Amino acid sequence: MSSESKFSRRDFLKVSALGAAGALLMPSGLAAAAKSKKNEKTAANDTINIGFIGLGQQAMHLLNGFITIDGVKVVAGCDVYDVKRARFDKRVKKYYADHGEKCKVDLYEDYQELLARPDIDAVVIATPDHQHAIIAIAACKAGKDVYLEKPMTLTIYEGQQLRKAVRKYSRILQIGSQQRSDAEFIHAANLCREGELGKIGLIKVHVGGSPTPYTLPKQEVPAGLNWDKWLGPLPETIYYNSDLDPVITIDPEQNEQLWGAWRWYQGMGGGLMTDWGAHMFDIAQWAMGKDGNGPVEIIPAGYSYYDHLTYKYDNGTTVTEQEFDGGKQGLKIYGDNGWIQVCRGEFLASDPKFMPKAEKQQDSSVPYETKVGHYQTFINSMRSRIDPNVPVEVGHSSCTVCNLGNIANELKRPVVWNPIVEKFMNDPEATKRMHYQYRDGYSLDV
C-alpha cells in the first residue's frame, strides 16, 4: 500500500492495529466519500440518530455506552417482545430526563418499520445470531450504518453476503469485537505483528465447545412475544422455551437472569465456539496478520493423535482450542523468543520486556461491556466515512474460523479450506454446512 511508505513498518503496524482513521482508507471509505449523500453526518456538531434492533441483555450494555456519546441520540428501539420494548423505553427516557434533555423514543415490533425512518442514521443490532445477516443487509439497503454484535453471522455464506452488501451500498459497519479496542489486546497483537516474539509457532486459544442439539422442553409462548418474528428464517419446528428469550419484568424492573440459551444449540447458535471464539480467535488471527484470511486445515479434537481442535495455517502456525494456565477464556501465544498470555484484565509474559506499560493496562474496575471506546470508534467512522477497526471483512474472517471449527467437530474429521476463495476442497458434506435452508419468505438478496 502506498500509505505504508510514509511510516516505518513498526509505526504502520501500530496504526493499523489501533484502527486509526487517518492511516488506512478502506474500500467503504473510498466508496462512501465518492458517493457522499447530503444527509451524511460528517460534521462533529451534527447529531447522529441511532435505533436499536434487538433489546435483550446485550443491548442494555450497548445502550449504556452509546447513549453517553456526545452527538449521539437514541431515538428508536425494536424487539419482538413487548416487555423488552417497554424496558428500553423506560431506560432511554429516564437517561435523558436525568440529563435535562428532551426525548422522543419510538418503539417497533418490525425492524423494517424502523429502517424506513429517514431520520435514523445508524442501527445497533443485538438480536440472536440467526437474524444478524438479514437485518444488517436490510439496514445497508436502507442507507443505514451498522454496529453489529459478534459473531457477525450464523453461517459462512451469510457472512459472504453481508460483506457484499456493505461494499455495494457503501456503508460503515463495525463488529462488536470490543477487544480490538482494548489496550492489552492491542499490545499483544502489536508484539506479534512487529516480530518481537519471533516466529509464532503455536497459539492456544481457550473459548469452549461447539453447540449441542436442542433438547429444552416445549413451553407456551408468552403473551407479547411474536415467536414467528423471533424465528425469522429458522424452521417452524424450533419451539419456544423461556431460556431462549429470557423473561424480564418492568414493574418491578427485573433483568434477564441468564443469557439467551439459543446460543448453545445447533441451528440457533454456534456454542462457545462462536460466542467466545468471535473474540479470541479474532485476536489470534489479528496477531498473525491473518485478518481477511484463515486456516487451510481444521482437525477436530479426538481425531488420530490430535487431543484438541487444531487449525493449521499456511505460514506454519498452529492454533488450538484448549485450556491453558488459569482456565480463563483468552490466548497464549508462543514464539521463538518467548510467550505471552492475554485474557480480559490480564497480561502475562515469559519476559518483563513483553509486558505493556502500566498506563496502558485495562482498568479492571470498569465493567467490560460499558466501555465506550469501541462504540466511539464506530461514531468516528460514520463521520469520517473511513472503516472502523473491525470492518466487515475482519468480522467475517474471524466468524468463519469459529464456524470452521464447528463444522470439523460435527463431521468428526479434518476439513481442508481455501481461505482465499472461501471454499472447502472437494468436500460436499462440509460445503452443505456453510449455510442452511431458510424457510419461505426469507432470503439473503443483496
Side-chain angles (χ1 to χ4, degrees):
M1 283 188 176
S2 60
S3 299
E4 189 168 1
S5 63
K6 299 178 183 179
F7 301 90
S8 70
R9 178 164 178 78
R10 175 171 296 197
D11 288 340
F12 175 78
L13 290 170
K14 283 183 176 179
V15 170
S16 176
L18 287 166
L24 295 176
L25 189 60
M26 296 283 284
S28 69
L30 289 168
K35 298 166 66 176
S36 179
K37 301 175 183 178
K38 290 183 180 179
N39 63 349
E40 297 284 19
K41 303 301 178 74
T42 56
N45 60 350
D46 284 342
T47 298
I48 290 176
N49 292 327
I50 287 184
F52 278 67
I53 302 175
L55 306 178
Q57 185 171 192
Q58 182 61 20
M60 295 303 99
H61 293 309
L62 296 170
L63 175 64
N64 290 341
F66 274 106
I67 204 168
T68 66
I69 298 175
D70 289 341
V72 169
K73 196 79 170 180
V74 177
V75 299
C78 173
D79 199 277
V80 298
Y81 201 176
D82 60 359
V83 69
K84 292 186 177 179
R85 296 195 297 271
R87 173 179 63 180
F88 179 83
D89 181 65
K90 181 178 180 180
R91 292 195 180 181
V92 173
K93 287 179 177 177
K94 182 180 187 304
Y95 176 86
Y96 287 125
D98 289 347
H99 288 77
E101 299 179 44
K102 293 182 179 180
C103 167
K104 184 179 185 299
V105 184
D106 293 307
L107 304 172
Y108 303 92
E109 181 182 82
D110 188 335
Y111 68 85
Q112 292 285 9
E113 294 181 25
L114 186 151
L115 294 179
R117 289 261 301 266
D119 62 319
I120 291 179
D121 305 296
V123 291
V124 176
I125 301 174
T127 64
D129 299 350
H130 69 275
Q131 296 271 20
H132 282 189
I134 281 181
I135 297 176
I137 288 172
C140 290
K141 288 181 176 181
K144 315 302 182 189
D145 293 326
V146 179
Y147 183 98
L148 179 60
E149 261 307 317
K150 50 59 56 188
M152 192 176 90
T153 56
L154 180 61
T155 73
I156 295 173
Y157 176 71
E158 287 176 337
Q160 293 169 337
Q161 292 299 97
L162 178 52
R163 178 181 59 195
K164 185 187 303 183
V166 169
R167 298 311 171 195
K168 178 178 179 179
Y169 298 104
S170 304
R171 306 320 308 162
I172 295 295
L173 183 141
Q174 170 78 312
I175 299 298
S177 299
Q178 293 96 327
Q179 291 176 175
R180 292 265 180 152
S181 299
D182 184 313
E184 289 156 348
F185 288 99
I186 292 170
H187 179 69
N190 280 337
L191 280 175
C192 298
R193 288 155 61 93
E194 294 169 6
E196 297 296 325
L197 285 182
K199 179 176 173 54
I200 306 299
L202 172 65
I203 303 179
K204 294 179 182 178
V205 178
H206 177 44
V207 296
S210 294
T212 59
Y214 183 43
T215 57
L216 293 176
K218 185 176 182 179
Q219 297 176 345
E220 183 178 351
V221 178
L225 172 59
N226 189 325
W227 185 244
D228 183 71
K229 285 187 180 296
W230 190 98
L231 285 175
L234 295 179
E236 294 175 349
T237 52
I238 294 178
Y239 49 81
Y240 170 79
N241 181 283
S242 61
D243 283 4
L244 300 182
D245 199 338
V247 174
I248 66 170
T249 62
I250 293 299
D251 190 19
E253 185 168 318
Q254 181 184 40
N255 294 321
E256 299 89 338
Q257 299 302 302
L258 50 82
W259 289 102
W262 49 263
R263 68 196 73 221
W264 314 132
Y265 297 108
Q266 291 172 348
M268 288 180 277
L272 285 164
M273 277 290 295
T274 59
D275 187 59
W276 273 100
H279 287 302
M280 300 306 175
F281 285 117
D282 175 65
I283 301 299
Q285 290 224 135
W286 187 25
M288 286 189 287
K290 287 294 184 179
D291 279 341
N293 204 303
V296 295
E297 186 177 13
I298 305 93
I299 306 161
Y303 181 85
S304 185
Y305 55 84
Y306 290 88
D307 294 328
H308 309 285
L309 175 65
T310 299
Y311 297 85
K312 294 185 177 181
Y313 286 77
D314 61 4
N315 61 359
T317 302
T318 296
V319 176
T320 61
E321 194 292 306
Q322 66 180 101
E323 287 193 33
F324 49 83
D325 305 339
K328 295 180 181 179
Q329 276 95 357
L331 304 91
K332 191 165 187 175
I333 304 174
Y334 298 83
D336 291 340
N337 300 333
W339 58 264
I340 58 172
Q341 178 175 316
V342 59
C343 307
R344 291 187 179 181
E346 175 183 275
F347 196 103
L348 304 174
S350 59
D351 191 306
K353 69 181 180 181
F354 298 137
M355 295 294 292
K357 293 180 181 179
E359 65 269 19
K360 292 185 177 181
Q361 294 199 42
Q362 198 71 42
D363 182 359
S364 59
S365 66
V366 180
Y368 192 84
E369 296 85 354
T370 64
K371 295 165 184 172
V372 300
H374 199 65
Y375 316 144
Q376 182 70 63
T377 297
F378 172 58
I379 300 302
N380 294 347
S381 292
M382 286 186 65
R383 297 193 187 282
S384 69
R385 310 312 298 169
I386 297 171
D387 271 338
N389 56 353
V390 197
V392 65
E393 288 83 6
V394 173
H396 173 56
S397 62
S398 297
C399 187
T400 296
V401 172
C402 305
N403 279 316
L404 290 173
N406 278 337
I407 290 171
N409 282 340
E410 185 177 351
L411 293 173
K412 297 182 172 58
R413 61 168 174 80
V415 294
V416 178
W417 176 253
N418 185 324
I420 305 304
V421 299
E422 295 185 346
K423 291 182 178 180
F424 290 102
M425 297 293 97
N426 302 314
D427 196 334
E429 283 187 293
T431 299
K432 288 179 182 178
R433 288 164 172 78
M434 290 176 66
H435 195 46
Y436 68 98
Q437 182 64 49
Y438 283 2
R439 64 177 171 137
D440 290 346
Y442 293 88
S443 66
L444 282 176
D445 296 334
V446 175

